[in-house]
Every structure is written in C-alpha cells, then in structure tokens.
Amino acid sequence: MRWLPVALSALLPVPVVAQQVADACPPYAAQENRAPSYPPSELWRLLGYTINAIIETDACGRVSGARVEQPSGVAALDAAALAAARAWTVPPQYRGQPRYRLPFAFEPLPGDMPAQTGRRPRDPFFEERRSGRAPMPAQDADGMLPGYIADPYPIGFLQIPEAIATIGPLTLVRRYDRQANFWLHDEEGLSLFQLEDAMMVRNRLVSDGRYRFVVTSVLCGNDLEACRQSLAELRARRGRQRPQPVAGVSTQGP
C-alpha cells in the first residue's frame, strides 16, 4: 500500500504497460478529488482526527472498493471519509498499484485560531474553568465516555443575549442550517458555543491530568419547556467520545 496524496514521492515509477492503459482512460480531473468536511453534528468533539481509507482501484485509477483501516470511534467521520474515498481517482502518473492508503484529516477549526486573552469579563467561576481541569467519568468496557458530560462549572453567562454580545466579537462564527457556532480560544482554552432555538450550548475541552475530553453546559432562553426538550434531544443524539491521552503523560495505572 502506498501513501496518497500525502507522500506521493514514496511511490515507485509506474510501468509502461500501466501508462498505456491510462492513455485509454477518461480524462483525469484533479478538482474532483475532494477532501471530506467535518460533519457539523460532530463539531462538539473539538478534536481533530486522521482517518485512513484503504482503496482498491481499477486500471483507470477509479475506486472499486473502500474501507476504513481502523475505525475512529465516530461513525459520522468514518462515513464521511468513505464517501470521499469512493469518489476519488488516482492521478495517472501514480497508477499501477492495486491498493492505496488514503489519509483524510478532519480538523474542526480552519487554520490557526489566535487566542483572545484579557478581553472578557470574569464571572465567579472563571478561575476554575481556566484551570482546564475536570474529573473524568468512568469509561465503559470499550474505553469510551458519554457524549454529554455535564460541565462542573456554569457556562459563564446569565442570559443568551449577554453571551452573544460578549463573545461575538471574539469568536470565529460559522452557521449550519439553524445553528450558529461560536469558536472561542481564550484563557479558558478552546470552547464551542452553539446557539439553536431555545438554548445555547457550550462545549469545552478539559483534562483530568491524563486524558482530554469534552464537557458541556447549557444556557436556556425564555422558553424553559422548549429548552428542556432541546436538551433531552441533544443528550439522545450525542454519540460517545473517546478520551485522548495528554501528550507526554503516561496513561498507565499507578
């Protein structure tokens, strides 16, 4: 298996016979080889993933079969990687192999996001959130955590309009259908505020000292019954999350 497209230089020269076959193939269009997007429903995870798709191709470089080399634990990401891989075509100059490893990087944020420090009022729980620490619940038999883990500290605002007015100028904003996503990187680390209908949800990346994971807090609008219903739906649709080891810290038992 060869790396494509990350390490094209590692590929061997293509035999002449393969080149002759390629000459009879449809024209190659590089722009049709598209990387998949991070599914908006999974952005709350706040972590990047690299998913390797193993593809089998015909003589024209078109994908005839695809599978995920190792599941990421996030079904929507695996599905997005497979959908992109199945639409891929190997460039003519790199054909001649029956199988390739095709890596797709899923990053929740576009590029480098500068930290916004010292620009937000400090509520009574600011220092606790700034520590970036929170207790981690027990993992299940698969080593996974619930997708919804209640943040041990409040969201940091009393009303949704106050939150929008305060964080709006400091955030990177993206909209998906009815949902507005406010990405914030400040003294409290990385957070994603999501506003939809009756509530605002804050997803915050924390650590227990050994593992990183996401905790969630909620701020309701004026319709408390609608907020309760929206929160119940949020809990039901969230998949599990896999805690990620903190770099440089041993995760072995004492």
Side-chain angles (χ1 to χ4, degrees):
M1 288 181 282
R2 306 296 182 184
W3 286 95
L4 179 72
V6 172
L8 293 180
S9 60
L11 294 173
L12 299 176
V14 179
V16 174
V17 173
Q19 184 62 51
Q20 291 173 344
V21 172
D23 290 340
C25 294
Y28 170 70
Q31 68 273 16
E32 294 183 2
N33 286 347
R34 298 188 178 95
S37 298
Y38 209 116
S41 62
E42 304 299 330
L43 288 173
W44 63 269
R45 297 178 181 277
L46 303 179
L47 295 172
Y49 295 79
T50 297
I51 298 176
N52 294 324
I54 305 303
I55 59 173
E56 298 178 358
T57 64
D58 62 17
C60 290
R62 294 169 298 200
V63 174
S64 57
R67 62 179 176 84
V68 170
E69 184 174 34
Q70 183 174 355
S72 66
V74 185
L77 292 181
D78 293 343
L82 280 178
R86 290 180 177 125
W88 203 271
T89 301
V90 176
Q93 65 270 34
Y94 300 115
R95 295 171 190 168
Q97 303 292 330
R99 190 177 297 113
Y100 300 86
R101 179 182 288 112
L102 185 58
F104 289 117
F106 290 86
E107 294 296 337
L109 284 173
D112 186 26
M113 185 176 172
Q116 303 285 351
T117 58
R119 301 181 60 188
R120 186 158 62 88
R122 301 189 176 193
D123 69 282
F125 293 94
F126 177 87
E127 294 298 333
E128 285 83 353
R129 289 193 303 269
R130 187 171 69 167
S131 73
R133 301 295 290 270
M136 187 177 76
Q139 298 167 254
D140 64 19
D142 298 323
M144 304 288 281
L145 298 174
Y148 185 96
I149 300 174
D151 195 326
Y153 305 111
I155 195 170
F157 302 97
L158 297 178
Q159 296 182 335
I160 291 177
E162 173 199 0
I164 296 174
T166 303
I167 68 173
L170 309 178
T171 57
L172 178 68
V173 182
R174 294 288 185 271
R175 294 185 179 274
Y176 304 98
D177 296 327
R178 296 182 304 171
Q179 187 180 82
N181 291 256
F182 300 84
W183 292 94
L184 178 63
H185 183 201
D186 64 0
E187 297 97 329
E188 297 180 9
L190 180 62
S191 296
L192 172 61
F193 292 81
Q194 297 178 302
L195 176 63
E196 182 176 353
D197 296 335
M199 67 181 183
M200 172 175 274
V201 177
R202 182 181 189 177
N203 307 286
R204 190 165 64 93
L205 191 61
V206 298
S207 164
D208 69 345
R210 300 170 66 189
Y211 291 96
R212 296 189 302 163
F213 53 99
V214 174
V215 294
T216 303
S217 52
V218 173
L219 180 60
C220 289
N222 295 327
D223 190 337
L224 296 183
E225 182 57 37
C227 185
R228 280 193 288 267
Q229 182 177 346
S230 295
L231 179 56
E233 293 171 354
L234 171 67
R235 289 173 178 267
R237 69 173 179 260
R238 282 244 175 131
R240 298 181 299 172
Q241 58 176 309
R242 184 182 301 280
Q244 302 295 316
V246 174
V249 176
S250 173
T251 56
Q252 301 300 316

